[in-house]
Amino acid sequence: MIELAALDMAGTTVNESGAVYRALRTAVERNGVAVAEADLQTWMGTDKREAIAALVRLGGGTPTPELVEESYAAFAEYLREAYRTTPPQAVPGVEEAMAELRRRGVKVALTTGFSDDVAYPLLESLGWSTGEGGNLDAVVTSDEVPRGRPAPYMIHRAMQKTGVIDTRRVLTAGDTVVDVEAGRNAGAGVVVGVLTGELTRADFDGHPQTHVLASAAEIPALAEVRPAGA
């Protein structure tokens, strides 16, 4: 039985209308470098400062620490404005799926490449929270770990926060290749790719997921998370 579901935020549990993609491209291209679509896809889901540095380098620029911080500030501001204009919403069925997992005794954590200053206002706008009366057991942002995805640290941090010690009893889900690579690197027993982001089923071919689902809303139907006898 799965004890922890560690789920990505943007594109997996939260529909934010592609604002992260646009914000990341804008933040990098303001430095006079071009962003190839394939490179953008590769670095989505990672720590956003790491993504900016890599995309500037791939575009022929020099990602100095000062440039990366300035670009990250621009990314965060663009994203906040995009969210004010088009407020993010829960992916249909995901809130119900998370509630069902918790009803079955599965802890639910969100992991994200966003820093605290982006992640927590986004969650507040949705009415999602941890603690008494909240609908989540843990949130892990990029501020809490030494490296973002595909490193396993956010998933392991979610395990620490929820008291889960066996990686085989962890399910991870995300809408990018680095999400499933992080799940594999963390030793998760179930690694799910979902199609509510920018990737197609074919884009996940050859990567280390155990399942590809149309949406994270389908997770409770997986055999691995059904109660015994169900």
Side-chain angles (χ1 to χ4, degrees):
M1 179 66 183
I2 294 299
E3 296 179 359
L4 168 66
L7 313 175
D8 173 54
M9 281 178 54
T12 301
T13 55
V14 181
N15 176 8
E16 42 76 73
S17 304
V20 175
Y21 279 75
R22 296 192 298 276
L24 190 55
R25 181 186 291 276
T26 299
V28 174
E29 291 188 339
R30 67 191 289 276
N31 298 299
V33 301
V35 176
E37 185 64 28
D39 292 334
L40 186 61
Q41 292 284 1
T42 296
W43 285 92
M44 282 303 301
T46 65
D47 174 271
K48 295 305 176 281
R49 287 180 173 86
E50 291 181 15
I52 288 167
L55 291 170
V56 168
R57 188 179 299 110
L58 288 166
T62 302
T64 64
E66 294 78 14
L67 183 144
V68 170
E69 285 305 312
E70 290 171 2
S71 299
Y72 181 80
F75 162 80
E77 180 54 36
Y78 182 96
L79 198 60
R80 282 191 288 268
E81 180 58 32
Y83 286 171
R84 281 193 291 269
T85 303
T86 306
Q89 298 179 331
V91 169
V94 161
E95 289 178 307
E96 295 81 359
M98 294 192 301
E100 175 61 19
L101 290 172
R102 297 182 84 206
R103 187 187 69 79
R104 297 179 190 177
V106 178
K107 303 289 187 181
V108 174
L110 297 186
T111 64
T112 178
F114 293 157
S115 55
D116 288 357
D117 63 324
V118 175
Y120 284 103
L122 171 56
L123 293 175
E124 184 178 357
S125 75
L126 294 167
W128 293 5
S129 65
T130 60
E132 188 69 29
N135 66 333
L136 302 168
D137 296 290
V139 174
V140 181
T141 72
S142 62
D143 288 338
E144 299 183 55
V145 292
R147 275 200 67 186
R149 306 177 186 118
Y153 305 132
M154 284 198 289
I155 297 164
H156 290 164
R157 178 64 175 145
M159 293 175 65
Q160 288 180 316
K161 284 187 165 186
T162 56
V164 173
I165 62 174
D166 188 345
T167 59
R168 295 168 298 178
R169 294 185 179 273
V170 175
L171 176 150
T172 69
D175 64 301
T176 68
V177 168
V178 292
D179 287 319
V180 298
E181 289 176 342
R184 186 271 312 276
N185 291 338
V190 182
V191 179
V192 178
V194 299
L195 304 179
T196 45
E198 299 292 325
L199 301 188
T200 66
R201 190 174 297 271
D203 291 326
F204 282 106
D205 287 349
H207 295 290
Q209 66 277 344
T210 58
H211 305 274
V212 176
L213 301 178
S215 166
E218 298 179 357
I219 288 173
L222 292 176
E224 294 90 341
V225 296
R226 291 179 192 151

